[in-house]
Amino acid sequence: MNKYLSALALIASVMTASTAFAGERTITFAVDNMTCASCPYIVKSSMEGVVGVAKVAVSFRAKTATVTFDDAKTNPDAIATASVNAGYPAHPVKQGS
């Protein structure tokens, strides 16, 4: 019985350890080619189509997109690629800029 409980505890700790390193992140992208009122909608929907993206806020005025995502499911490169594929090159904005 003790071996069974120990094995169960080990499995549970391994399963929770992998999620402990993953988390929600937010990143801001500078987005090129946004020239009309429909551009932010296209950028937003292309980025939201990436699995793991939770929220996208696009500013036409600032030409940016702020994205909240699960870093266990996606990464900034995949999000930027989705925007590029829609015709809007996106580049992460450096912190402090």
Side-chain angles (χ1 to χ4, degrees):
M1 176 84 168
N2 282 342
K3 287 183 181 183
Y4 175 74
L5 290 176
S6 295
L8 187 60
L10 177 63
I11 291 169
S13 66
V14 168
M15 291 176 68
T16 57
S18 63
T19 58
F21 295 110
E24 192 173 83
R25 289 183 48 200
T26 300
I27 187 168
T28 299
F29 294 91
V31 182
D32 299 334
N33 298 343
M34 286 202 297
T35 58
C36 68
S38 64
C39 294
Y41 173 77
I42 296 167
V43 171
K44 181 176 180 172
S45 49
S46 67
M47 290 180 167
E48 284 177 334
V50 177
V51 173
V53 171
K55 185 169 91 173
V56 179
V58 180
S59 170
F60 178 69
R61 184 176 183 168
K63 308 287 191 248
T64 61
T66 302
V67 182
T68 302
F69 65 97
D70 180 343
D71 67 359
K73 296 180 181 177
T74 193
N75 59 58
D77 290 338
I79 298 166
T81 298
S83 187
V84 168
N85 290 342
Y88 301 91
H91 314 279
V93 175
K94 293 181 181 178
Q95 298 293 66
S97 295

